[in-house]
Amino acid sequence: MEKLIETFRAGGPVMWPILVLSVVGLAILIWKALEFRAGRRNAKGLVVVSTIITAEPMLGILGTVTGIMQTFGAMNGEGGAINPLAATSGIGEALITTAAGLVASLILLFPYNALSNQVDD
């Protein structure tokens, strides 16, 4: 668990919206699954999940951009000296947020598709 928290923090500030959207999307999918099980098969709420599935990879790309910007800032250190160790933090942030956005989106995608295929017409 400690490693997960450390990785989350290394992903930078963009990790927070990815986490919040993932929790909201998962909560909606659980709610819809319970409704479907009770026989109420409407699409209400699924559009929000669809939007989250689309937004999470974009947030991952945003984290990539901010991480690469941080890398270039670190490479242009004081006096024009390049500090390669400082650059690794930004690259790590870029890779972590990209992966987090993609994984979070994929986790929601498959149950979303299963539920949306069961919606009453």
Side-chain angles (χ1 to χ4, degrees), residues 91-112:
I91 293 170
E93 178 181 322
L95 295 173
I96 290 167
T97 54
T98 302
L102 291 171
V103 168
S105 179
L106 287 171
I107 288 171
L108 296 177
L109 179 64
F110 296 107
Y112 165 79

Side-chain angles (χ1 to χ4, degrees), residues 8-25:
F8 181 86
R9 287 183 178 151
V14 178
M15 292 295 286
W16 286 105
I18 292 172
L19 176 64
V20 169
L21 287 177
S22 296
V23 170
V24 169

Side-chain angles (χ1 to χ4, degrees), residues 62-84:
L62 176 62
T64 301
V65 171
T66 59
I68 296 301
M69 288 169 58
Q70 178 182 337
T71 299
F72 283 123
M75 290 176 68
N76 294 325
E78 293 183 30
I82 295 175
N83 182 355

